[in-house]
Amino acid sequence: MQKKRLRSVVLLRKLITCAICTIGLFALFLVHVPRVPKLPDPYKLPTQYDTNFPKLNAELDIDQAYAPPHVTKASLSSLKLVGASGSLWKMPPNYRDFVPCIKSNDSYAPPADSKGYLLVHTNGGLNQMRAGICDMVAVARIINATLVIPDLDKRSFWRDSSNFADVFDQDHFISALANDIKVIKKLPKEMLAAPRAVRHFRSWSGLEYYRNEIASMWANYQVIRAAKSDSRLANNHLPSDIQKLRCRACYEALRFSPKIEAMGKLLVERMRSYGRYIALHLRYEKDMLAFSGCTHGLSLEEANELTLIRQNTTYWKVKDINATEQRTKGFCPLTPKEVGMFLSSLGYPSNTPIYIAAGEIYGGESRIADLQSRYPILMSKEKLASDEELAPFANHASQMAALDYIVSIESDVFIPTHLGNMARAVEGHRRYLGHRKTISPDRKAIVHLFDKVEHGSMKEGKNLSNRIIEIHRRRQGSPRRRKGAVSGTKGMDRFRSEEAFYENPLPECLCRDTPSAVNASKPLNASAIR
């Protein structure tokens, strides 16, 4: 009897335990567990780009978790609305007013009989070489020369072994300029022993210099070699047809090679899968910091390393640089931390996709940790593509920079952290393509405000944001004429102070949108990234 009673108690206990477990499981299913949104697989082509659908609660929770420290949860949703449909992505004012007008006028004659051959040794990084090549196209026209496909720089800091055809579409370059100049791939064998001169063309020279001083050399030489190509042609005061030729060379003839264009378009598509994006030219590589002497936020050991690089690089003329003075004057690139503060102050929400267009950041991942914490969707070509996909371009700085150039041109917003050759080239190309939004940070004003934040006399928030927004209200790529020399400058400093031709090809290559301008503006090729 007692055993039967004991069995009943044990059975009842098991039934109660099962009931409690069932109730617990049922209650668990009733509780809402937010689903972490899955980001697109970076190694697969995206299937859709539309990101304007209302966000799920789970996505909002994730966004709030990643919000910058000074942005409250209450303000985050309103900030997103501005980012989705307001001024953050809006094109600059009057961007539709101008269209490309690069067609030559009716009196423009086919290339005259060649008087000799022009060899060109380009110098610098990708975009410095691009500008130099386009200038040499114009020089060849001025002096009636046959242009031999230029040699790319293989001796600079990057030690890139790429040839012209590795970076650019050589055949298209030759055919696209057929009505302007004759271009050949190699110097004819019979010319290898011909009299030749090596000449450093004078910087920022005009028409008379080339027609008189350089063209007169054909009397004694059959081959002229330009020892350098950068900044050898004036920005201003050249005939309209020469200026338009520079634009045709830069924006139509000088395409990237097919393999670079294909990979660039693939990166753009993958970046688009995250939605509208910012291309950030984060100029914080070792060579840039060493050249500029900028050491803010670096350790003493790092600063000494950069100084040693500058001292040992023979073709960098300035050796002794005051880092504090450089930064105060706005000559230093923004640090990754400062970039995060800048973007937050402009109002870009933490879920904004950002593409880092740069080489290896000095200091590695730890240097961009603060920026990454503010903006988790921080992408680069190395994150968007596999090692196997990037293998053909690896160890070739110019080819890797070309990929960044394509993604930057196609971005919804482009922001350079320093006004270098790439920043100028991309801004000019985006102006040519319809004045796409480009925000140019006022570094001198920004670092003054950020120093206040660092010293505790100002906090991140509404006051700082209002100041930053107001400073940059007119620095977003609106149409305007190219700036001339700074008043009071003389000699070479006068030319240096001018806005570069390829930074802003208005007025020569961009005209007001009228029927006659549209007819004159039809490009040789309409591809946006070419």
Side-chain angles (χ1 to χ4, degrees), residues 54-235:
K55 283 181 172 285
L56 300 173
N57 289 335
E59 291 175 285
L60 291 173
D61 291 342
I62 292 295
D63 291 336
Q64 289 174 349
Y66 285 130
H70 67 282
V71 178
T72 64
K73 291 186 177 183
S75 65
L76 189 62
S77 59
S78 61
L79 197 60
K80 287 179 180 302
L81 291 175
V82 174
S85 59
S87 61
L88 291 181
W89 304 102
K90 189 177 179 181
M91 294 287 280
N94 306 318
Y95 75 98
R96 293 183 184 274
D97 290 358
F98 291 85
V99 294
C101 52
I102 59 173
K103 186 178 178 181
S104 55
N105 60 40
D106 294 338
S107 62
Y108 190 77
D113 292 338
S114 175
K115 293 186 176 180
Y117 296 88
L118 176 61
L119 303 179
V120 176
H121 174 74
T122 62
N123 59 295
L126 171 70
N127 293 288
Q128 189 171 334
M129 289 191 292
R130 286 182 79 249
I133 290 168
C134 297
D135 282 354
M136 290 300 110
V137 167
V139 168
R141 171 82 185 187
I142 295 170
I143 65 174
N144 291 337
T146 295
L147 177 66
V148 181
I149 286 291
D151 294 327
L152 300 191
D153 191 342
K154 298 178 175 64
R155 295 177 295 181
S156 289
F157 182 89
W158 305 273
R159 302 291 180 184
D160 188 347
S161 61
S162 298
N163 293 315
F164 188 96
D166 297 321
V167 181
F168 304 109
D169 188 335
Q170 183 170 266
D171 291 335
H172 176 75
F173 182 73
I174 294 172
S175 61
L177 294 170
N179 293 326
D180 302 295
I181 61 170
K182 184 178 180 181
V183 184
I184 59 175
K185 294 181 180 180
K186 292 182 179 179
L187 189 68
K189 289 183 179 180
E190 61 269 22
M191 287 291 109
L192 294 178
R196 68 172 63 189
V198 179
R199 189 70 179 263
H200 284 78
F201 295 162
R202 194 175 65 197
S203 298
W204 295 294
S205 293
L207 202 67
E208 296 307 312
Y209 167 80
Y210 284 104
R211 279 184 174 170
N212 298 334
E213 192 166 332
I214 302 301
S216 64
M217 296 172 66
W218 294 131
N220 301 310
Y221 304 99
Q222 292 175 281
V223 179
I224 298 175
R225 180 179 182 86
K228 285 189 173 183
S229 63
D230 64 317
S231 305
R232 303 296 137 173
L233 195 57
N235 293 309

